[in-house]
Amino acid sequence: NEAEFAIVIADAWQGRGLGGKLMGELLRVGKCEGLACIRGRILPDNAAMLRLCRKLGFLLRPEEDDVAAEIVPGQKSKETHHA
């Protein structure tokens, strides 16, 4: 009962809040569906997405090539690690 996210926004559309809207909707639907966890992988140089995930309460865990992001929908993580 888990989901994985991947979001790609064209360069011309970045910085307009689309990522935040998509992630907000993803969390809303995940909570309604009773998902236990939503996970994704973020490139370490994607500062905007890392910042957004921190703001939304994702647990961020740096790994070898990327940053693992995880959240329980409807519940903000208390242990956000710096990535």
Side-chain angles (χ1 to χ4, degrees):
N1 197 7
E2 299 177 352
E4 184 175 346
F5 73 88
I7 295 177
V8 178
I9 298 178
D11 290 346
W13 290 93
Q14 291 180 11
R16 299 181 187 201
L18 293 175
K21 290 182 187 295
L22 290 169
M23 291 297 287
E25 187 65 9
L26 174 72
L27 293 175
R28 186 191 69 75
V29 170
K31 181 179 177 182
C32 289
E33 293 294 321
L35 292 180
C37 180
I38 298 176
R39 292 186 174 103
R41 314 218 39 103
I42 305 165
L43 294 175
D45 63 346
N46 191 343
M49 188 62 170
L50 291 169
R51 197 169 35 253
L52 173 61
C53 285
R54 276 190 200 96
K55 179 180 173 184
L56 293 172
F58 277 80
L59 171 67
L60 299 177
R61 192 177 58 254
E63 297 194 348
E64 190 173 328
D65 295 325
D66 58 13
V67 178
E70 185 175 304
I71 193 168
V72 174
Q75 183 179 70
K76 282 208 166 194
S77 172
K78 293 180 182 174
E79 286 188 36
T80 302
H81 298 285
H82 295 287

